């Protein structure tokens, strides 16, 4: 058998010419650090995914899912589900609308591009800075409390029903929208806004004719995305008594009516899919 004596040296030469990854040390270091950080969190949360596949868990899962088929489909129940679904959409829409109405003026207050006190000097007046910082902290407070917690509080105040869900979405999403609106506006081109303010324009006019045309696409896109999130949140808040599809699902689960739960899960998936399709339609229309 004939061998090529030059092949070992050729292989060594090719290996020597291959460049070493200059970032291998940092990648290994980051991987080790990630494992060091992740391991205690897994222990703290008692994360044991293998418990899902033991005999007892599989048997309980089989019995639970067996009650889901066939899904409930009688006319009276479907009408109830349809009403609850419409209530969920209405809750999300009303809550986001109230959040937008509150977020817009707060955005105008915290935005530094629209500050009249800094014209000429470039430095904002102390009172204006204090007002802006106060509004920023208010936005932090509103978005720091999850809508589910707000819903629990309002259920105790106004009672069961969608009113608690609407108010919960309005408060939490006001904080979210106000923060992101301000960031989008501050990242936009400030030249047109500055020129309008320097020529005596009001802050509202400077926003409408200077800032808004540059940021409108991103603002609408994020608003539609938040409306989609609000629909999902409305279902979750129903489990604490805020009405809608979630409350009906909670009642069916307490009665162990698996067929009804199955129908509402299907409706929930279709509802979220429709909201996602609608949000994509609006985003494409803005491109």
């Amino acid at each position: 058998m004939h061998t090529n004596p030059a092949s070992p040296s050729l292989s060594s030469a090719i290996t020597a010419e291959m460049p070493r990854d200059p970032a291998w040390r940092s990648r290994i270091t980051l991987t080790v650090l990630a494992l060091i950080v992740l391991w205690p969190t897994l222990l703290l949360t008692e994360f044991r995914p293998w418990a899902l596949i033991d005999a007892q868990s599989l048997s309980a899962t089989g019995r639970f899912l067996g009650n889901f088929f066939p899904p409930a489909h009688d006319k009276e129940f479907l009408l109830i589900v349809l009403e609850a679904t419409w209530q969920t959409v209405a809750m999300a829409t009303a809550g986001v609308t109230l959040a937008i109405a509150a977020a817009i003026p707060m955005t105008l207050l915290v935005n530094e591009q629209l500050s009249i006190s800094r014209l000429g000097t470039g430095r904002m007046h102390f009172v204006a800075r204090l007002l802006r910082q106060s509004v920023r902290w208010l936005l932090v407070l509103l978005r720091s409390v999850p809508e589910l917690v707000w819903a629990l509080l309002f259920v105790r105040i106004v009672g069961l029903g969608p009113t608690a869900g609407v108010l919960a979405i309005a408060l939490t999403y006001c904080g979210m929208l106000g923060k992101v609106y301000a960031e989008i506006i501050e990242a936009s081109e400030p030249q047109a806004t500055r020129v309008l303010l320097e020529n005596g324009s009001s802050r509202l006019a400077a926003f409408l004719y200077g800032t808004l045309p540059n940021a409108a696409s991103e603002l609408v896109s994020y608003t539609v995305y938040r409306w989609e999130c609000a629909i999902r949140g409305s279902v979750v808040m129903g489990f604490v008594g805020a009405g809608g599809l979630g409350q009906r699902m909670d009642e069916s689960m307490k009665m162990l009516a698996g067929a009804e739960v199955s129908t509402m899960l299907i409706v929930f998936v279709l509802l979220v899919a429709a909201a996602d399709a609608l949000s994509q339609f609006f985003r494409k229309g803005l491109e």
Side-chain angles (χ1 to χ4, degrees), residues 221-238:
S221 178
Y222 182 74
T223 303
V224 173
Y225 167 71
R226 273 298 154 197
W227 174 75
E228 177 188 337
C229 295
I231 290 179
R232 292 194 294 267
S234 299
V235 176
V236 176
M237 285 185 291

Side-chain angles (χ1 to χ4, degrees), residues 10 28-29 50 55 69-70 120 122 159-160 172 194 220 237 245 249 252 257 262 275 280-281 283 287:
L10 180 61
I28 292 177
T29 303
W50 52 86
F69 300 98
L160 299 175
T172 301
R194 188 182 303 116
V220 174
M237 285 185 291
L245 194 60
M249 188 181 298
S252 296
S262 177
Q280 287 184 4
F281 172 78
R283 291 192 188 105
E287 293 177 355

Side-chain angles (χ1 to χ4, degrees), residues 86-160:
W86 173 243
Q87 193 176 66
T88 297
V89 176
M91 188 193 313
T93 305
V96 171
T97 302
L98 291 176
I100 294 171
I104 289 176
M106 297 175 78
T107 301
L108 297 178
L109 286 174
V110 302
N111 184 258
E112 296 186 2
Q113 287 188 16
L114 299 170
S115 175
I116 298 178
S117 63
R118 63 184 297 182
L119 292 177
T121 63
R123 301 183 62 181
M124 194 180 302
H125 192 274
F126 172 76
V127 176
R129 186 176 296 277
L130 179 62
L131 176 62
R132 279 171 171 76
Q133 193 59 40
S134 300
V135 176
R136 286 184 184 276
W137 279 110
L138 178 58
L139 291 174
V140 170
L141 173 64
L142 291 176
R143 69 175 180 272
S144 296
V145 182
E147 60 264 39
L148 187 60
V149 177
W150 284 122
L152 280 169
L153 295 175
F154 283 118
V155 164
R156 299 295 184 274
I157 297 173
V158 301
L160 299 175

Side-chain angles (χ1 to χ4, degrees), residues 30-50:
L30 290 175
T31 302
V32 173
L33 289 176
L35 291 174
I36 292 174
V37 173
L38 181 61
W39 182 251
T41 61
L42 293 177
L43 293 178
L44 184 64
T45 56
E46 300 180 1
F47 183 67
R48 296 190 298 268
W50 52 86

Side-chain angles (χ1 to χ4, degrees), residues 204-218:
L204 182 59
F207 170 74
L208 292 176
Y209 298 106
T211 305
L212 190 58
N214 294 325
S217 178
E218 290 186 62

